[in-house]
Amino acid sequence: MKILFCIAIITTALFSSKLKYENLLQSFPKNYKLAYKKIQNGTSFYEFIPKSEELKNWTEMITTNIYHRNLRYSVDEYVEEMKKAWSKSCKDTSFKDIDESFENGYKTKTVMMSCKVSKITKKEETMYLKAIKGADSFYTVQKAFTGKTNKEQENKSVEYLKTVKVCDSRLFTCP
């Protein structure tokens, strides 16, 4: 029994130290505020909106999800599941693959999803999603809009998502 207890402690220590150093590098616009936060079942969920808006009637939102130690999906599988969920919650959906790459050694995929009427907001909605499969956790960041969007919003959203990265501080190439 004593040996099993020691093995459990060593395994936990090794696994915990591995999680300690992988970080999501993400900045937020100065005019944004944290509007919602939930941490449950190994997932951290955050929603940020402009300071002048309320969560019940937002026009722009940045959502960050961290699935701690949940490496079940590849980025392609996750994006496909999101597309299915989006199709169920929206009328007249469309999708556009924007980018697929490796950043700091991690596979990423960025897509655009839009619909004419969201069942949740009851408005037209467009969302830009970046999924990152880390070594320790799985990360997603979304930049979403209600109402009509324009090319400038698309370009700024894609540029913003390009700045979001996962980095392991144990590697010499990361802070």
Side-chain angles (χ1 to χ4, degrees):
M1 185 69 164
K2 203 174 194 180
I3 293 172
L4 288 175
F5 181 70
C6 287
I7 291 171
I9 290 174
I10 291 167
T11 303
T12 303
L14 289 173
F15 193 69
S16 297
S17 68
K18 196 172 185 183
L19 290 174
K20 185 176 173 182
Y21 298 104
E22 188 174 87
N23 299 292
L24 177 66
L25 305 178
Q26 178 181 19
S27 61
F28 295 92
K30 289 180 181 168
N31 65 330
Y32 271 59
K33 65 182 177 183
L34 177 63
Y36 181 79
K37 174 182 175 182
K38 183 176 184 178
I39 300 172
Q40 181 179 10
N41 299 327
T43 301
S44 300
F45 182 81
Y46 306 92
E47 292 179 339
F48 299 85
I49 58 175
K51 290 178 181 177
S52 61
E53 296 184 4
E54 296 299 320
L55 194 54
K56 292 181 180 180
N57 195 25
W58 59 272
T59 62
E60 293 184 30
M61 180 182 289
I62 296 173
T63 302
T64 301
N65 296 320
I66 303 172
Y67 303 92
H68 303 281
R69 293 179 261 189
N70 186 349
L71 305 174
R72 188 175 106 192
Y73 290 115
S74 69
V75 292
D76 293 321
E77 291 168 332
Y78 183 87
V79 167
E80 287 308 309
E81 290 299 316
M82 285 295 293
K83 287 178 179 179
K84 288 178 191 173
W86 188 268
S87 294
K88 289 179 184 176
S89 69
C90 284
K91 293 182 181 178
D92 299 322
T93 58
S94 65
F95 308 103
K96 176 181 169 186
D97 290 346
I98 295 174
D99 184 50
E100 193 169 338
S101 64
F102 282 89
E103 298 170 353
N104 295 331
Y106 300 112
K107 174 81 186 256
T108 73
K109 187 166 189 170
T110 304
V111 297
M112 183 272 299
M113 302 181 192
S114 65
C115 68
K116 295 296 178 197
V117 180
S118 165
K119 290 180 182 175
I120 298 167
T121 62
K122 310 289 188 236
K123 298 175 184 176
E124 186 172 345
E125 201 169 315
T126 302
M127 186 240 315
Y128 301 88
L129 165 74
K130 182 172 185 176
I132 306 168
K133 183 174 176 82
D136 300 333
S137 298
F138 194 96
Y139 308 85
T140 65
V141 176
Q142 304 167 17
K143 174 71 178 191
F145 299 92
T146 57
K148 290 232 181 270
T149 56
N150 57 46
K151 194 67 174 167
E152 181 183 2
Q153 288 171 310
E154 177 179 348
N155 291 340
K156 284 184 177 182
S157 297
V158 171
E159 287 304 312
Y160 171 72
L161 291 176
K162 284 180 182 179
T163 69
V164 174
K165 299 192 184 308
V166 170
C167 197
D168 189 329
S169 63
R170 295 167 289 195
L171 304 175
F172 67 91
T173 57
C174 295

